Amino acid sequence: MLVKTYSAAVMGLEATTITIEVNLTRGVLFKLSGMADTAVRESYDRISAALPNIGFKTPTANLTINLSPADLKKEGSGFDLPMAVGILAADGKIDTSRLQQYMMVGELGLDGKIKPVRAVLPTAIRARKEKFKGLIVPKENIREAAVVNNLDVYGMENLADVVAFLNGSSVYEPMVMDTRKEFYEQQAAFDLDFSDVKGQEAVKRALEVASAGSHNILLIGPPGSGKSMMAKRLPSILPPLSLAESLETTQIHSVAGKISSNVSLISQRPFRSPHHTISQVAMTGGTNKATPGEVSLAHNGILYLDELPEFSKTTLEVLRQPLEDRHITIARAQYTVEYPCSFMFVASMNPCPCGYYGDPTHHCVCTPGQIQRYTSRISGPLMDRFDLHVEVPVVPFKQLSAMEPGEPSAVIRERVIRARQIQEERFSSLPQGGGQEGIRVYCNAQMTERMLHKFAEPDSDGLDMLRMAMERLKLSARAYSRILKVARTIADLAGSEKVQAMHIAEAIGYRNLDRGDWAERGI
């Protein structure tokens, strides 16, 4: 008897419908075809052990299973459930009349329980697109899949429940939840707030500017000055995610298997902070399962690298292309996938190997040569991709012991949101896409050179000031563009339509490492 069930294979962010064809004839052999990896080939062992444990006998017959399309590689344990259902249906234990209405995904335990799998959200999106009536998933994945509307999602604990549901002997209700209500309720719930930060007003201003335009920022200062503390509070002042951004971000985390069972949609911008021992592949993505790396997991959020010079040089250099293109293409012998990676790059570092260069409370034991070698671990092209270089001084005791809280994140966030709204209105007049390769432009950091001339051209005084800075500091063409972008953001925060000299002056002030005498002076 021939029976068909349905599942999906996910490559990158795209899911492809997989038809599991199960055929039983007289005999004792088992055959599996369709480019299955080791996890899929081992499915029959798990299924044959699980069936007796839920009251069914493993069929004694010639069993042939084909995963169609056969020329597409199938990976993972998510095919256990549809294969088990197909075997039982071919053996006459399940009514086949409803099988074509449902897509299924899930890993089977030896006791028949259905275990969670990754990439359930892209599978649910594909099921709706293919007009399936419903999707059967592990109970732990139900909230992730229920994000997709116009699709009945059933979360099952074990294979016996699935059999009873398909035979109609038990009634199960699909998951119903108000996704939008939960999404908006969780957007403003932050554990960390800028009101905890004492002093550092100039640095907080720079972080506000960076957040308003989604600019990359580098923080330089001695240990204990508050670099990491302030960086970790950046998500609390960034504009809230839109539903479209949230769905895209959730898809990436779903493919990576980073969605917990109590989460439906990611409601806050991601903050990824990998350790400096991270490998190049872990940063960019593309293991044997083509999973997204840290640059993609930070999409629509922040990638924070603490102790930047301690990272491997090859790992840092692979960031150059994603920072410019906002997407990354991972090409291997067996696959090519593309992931979005539009993130705000935030990094921090000590000014020297001992960490106390320029600190008035500690003596620095490093020579100028050592300082130069330490900072040169970050290449010039990568340094150029930081829009702001900000020095973080030690907080004086008087400010540190002050009882008054600092300005709360909610107040700063309001200013950032107003500036972003100005930018969205400005770029909404552009043709669809507007950016490179048709990528939509939403903030000043994403402006192209043509947009700079249209939206960020300074007045005559500002142009003279910029020319002087370019000549004295010997800035690159990329640094010139970065200054204009930051100045445009500063003007937006001030509500100014034109970029003026004072906006240019502040933007130039955020290029500290461009000064040639930086390693020969105190902070």
Side-chain angles (χ1 to χ4, degrees):
M1 182 179 180
L2 176 64
V3 171
K4 296 180 180 180
T5 58
Y6 301 92
S7 188
V10 178
M11 181 61 70
L13 298 183
E14 297 297 324
T16 303
T17 301
I18 302 298
T19 303
I20 294 97
E21 301 171 317
V22 182
N23 188 57
L24 265 107
T25 58
R26 293 182 63 181
V28 293
L29 298 178
F30 170 72
K31 297 179 181 178
L32 177 63
S33 61
M35 285 190 69
D37 74 345
T38 303
V40 182
R41 291 196 300 270
E42 291 172 346
S43 291
Y44 184 71
D45 297 332
R46 294 189 289 272
I47 293 169
S48 59
L51 292 182
N53 288 326
I54 62 169
F56 293 97
K57 183 180 178 182
T58 304
T60 303
N62 261 353
L63 179 60
T64 302
I65 300 178
N66 180 50
L67 307 178
S68 176
D71 60 347
L72 179 69
K73 187 172 178 62
K74 322 300 186 305
E75 297 180 334
S77 56
F79 296 101
D80 288 7
L81 178 59
M83 287 172 62
V85 170
I87 291 172
L88 288 173
D91 196 34
K93 302 297 191 298
I94 294 179
D95 182 6
T96 61
S97 61
R98 303 174 66 190
L99 290 182
Q100 73 275 8
Q101 300 177 8
Y102 298 95
M103 186 178 279
M104 310 173 201
V105 62
E107 176 186 332
L108 277 184
L110 299 188
D111 57 356
K113 288 188 177 180
I114 305 175
K115 299 181 179 180
V117 293
R118 65 183 184 90
V120 169
L121 180 54
T123 301
I125 294 172
R126 184 67 186 181
R128 182 182 64 180
K129 185 177 181 180
E130 293 286 340
K131 301 189 184 306
F132 282 92
K133 180 182 178 181
L135 174 67
I136 300 174
V137 300
K139 194 167 185 179
E140 288 85 347
N141 292 123
I142 189 169
R143 293 180 64 84
E144 179 184 343
V147 166
V148 180
N149 54 15
N150 301 321
L151 181 72
D152 294 339
V153 178
Y154 299 89
M156 300 295 187
E157 288 189 0
N158 57 64
L159 180 57
D161 293 340
V162 179
V163 174
F165 170 73
L166 293 173
N167 284 332
S169 58
S170 296
V171 177
Y172 295 88
E173 296 296 327
M175 177 68 170
V176 177
M177 64 180 187
D178 192 339
T179 305
R180 285 173 171 78
K181 181 181 178 182
E182 292 187 9
F183 173 72
Y184 290 119
E185 283 179 351
Q186 298 172 5
Q187 279 193 327
F190 294 100
D191 296 329
L192 303 175
D193 196 280
F194 266 95
S195 60
D196 303 327
V197 180
K198 304 292 180 66
Q200 303 290 22
E201 298 304 323
V203 182
K204 286 192 284 187
R205 166 64 178 177
L207 293 173
E208 179 182 337
V209 172
S211 300
S214 191
H215 299 291
N216 303 328
I217 182 171
L218 174 63
L219 305 175
I220 315 109
S225 57
K227 303 184 295 296
S228 299
M229 178 187 185
M230 287 183 282
K232 290 175 182 177
R233 283 158 173 75
L234 268 173
S236 66
I237 66 173
L238 289 175
L241 283 169
S242 66
L243 274 170
E245 288 177 324
S246 177
L247 182 61
E248 187 179 34
T249 304
T250 306
Q251 273 188 270
I252 296 171
H253 285 247
S254 174
V255 171
K258 303 291 185 182
I259 302 291
S260 60
S261 59
N262 61 344
V263 172
S264 53
L265 277 176
I266 292 177
S267 56
Q268 296 180 358
R269 295 189 180 272
F271 182 87
R272 304 295 300 181
S273 181
H275 192 259
H276 61 76
T277 55
I278 186 173
S279 68
Q280 180 178 334
V281 172
M283 182 69 80
T284 60
T287 60
N288 58 345
K289 292 186 178 180
T291 52
E294 289 294 332
V295 294
S296 297
L297 292 171
H299 180 60
N300 290 325
I302 294 171
L303 177 65
Y304 174 55
L305 302 187
D306 196 9
E307 303 298 343
L308 187 64
E310 303 300 330
F311 283 78
S312 164
K313 192 174 184 66
T314 56
T315 301
L316 291 179
E317 291 307 302
V318 299
L319 294 174
R320 288 160 54 178
Q321 180 264 335
L323 283 169
E324 290 294 319
D325 297 343
R326 295 159 51 205
H327 64 85
I328 185 166
T329 301
I330 302 168
R332 298 291 185 268
Q334 297 180 341
Y335 62 83
T336 299
V337 296
E338 183 176 299
Y339 289 112
C341 57
S342 178
F343 57 88
M344 180 176 163
F345 185 30
V346 182
S348 62
M349 59 178 285
N350 294 329
C352 65
C354 79
Y356 294 109
Y357 173 64
D359 185 352
T361 62
H362 292 81
H363 176 65
C364 175
V365 297
C366 304
T367 64
Q370 289 175 318
I371 297 173
Q372 186 64 43
R373 284 192 296 273
Y374 183 74
T375 56
S376 65
R377 294 182 188 178
I378 308 165
S379 68
L382 181 63
M383 191 66 75
D384 257 356
R385 283 165 171 80
F386 286 105
D387 300 348
L388 298 90
H389 310 151
V390 181
E391 295 174 353
V392 184
V394 175
V395 182
F397 175 79
K398 183 178 180 180
Q399 294 180 356
L400 196 61
S401 61
M403 299 301 294
E404 298 82 7
E407 188 176 28
S409 293
V411 176
I412 304 174
R413 194 184 202 190
E414 288 179 5
R415 296 196 295 266
V416 170
I417 291 174
R418 282 198 299 270
R420 285 286 185 100
Q421 288 171 344
I422 292 172
Q423 295 165 45
E424 288 181 10
E425 291 175 5
R426 176 185 301 132
F427 301 130
S428 64
S429 62
L430 298 174
Q432 185 64 32
Q436 296 177 354
E437 300 183 7
I439 299 176
R440 189 72 186 173
V441 173
Y442 294 99
C443 53
N444 290 333
Q446 300 168 354
M447 284 193 293
T448 63
E449 297 302 317
R450 185 176 299 176
M451 294 179 194
L452 282 176
H453 292 296
K454 184 176 181 180
F455 300 121
E457 197 69 33
D459 58 20
S460 57
D461 291 340
L463 196 61
D464 291 340
M465 183 176 295
L466 186 55
R467 183 185 300 110
M468 187 183 304
M470 290 289 294
E471 293 172 353
R472 289 188 178 181
L473 302 179
K474 297 180 174 58
L475 301 180
S476 67
R478 183 179 283 117
Y480 169 82
S481 300
R482 305 282 177 183
I483 290 173
L484 286 181
K485 291 177 182 179
V486 173
R488 179 66 269 174
T489 300
I490 295 169
D492 290 339
L493 283 168
S496 173
E497 185 177 348
K498 296 288 186 180
V499 177
Q500 302 173 8
M502 59 181 177
H503 306 140
I504 293 289
E506 184 176 353
I508 294 172
Y510 294 135
R511 303 292 302 184
N512 288 316
L513 293 189
D514 287 330
R515 295 197 292 269
D517 63 340
W518 185 84
E520 301 172 2
R521 61 176 185 82
I523 292 182

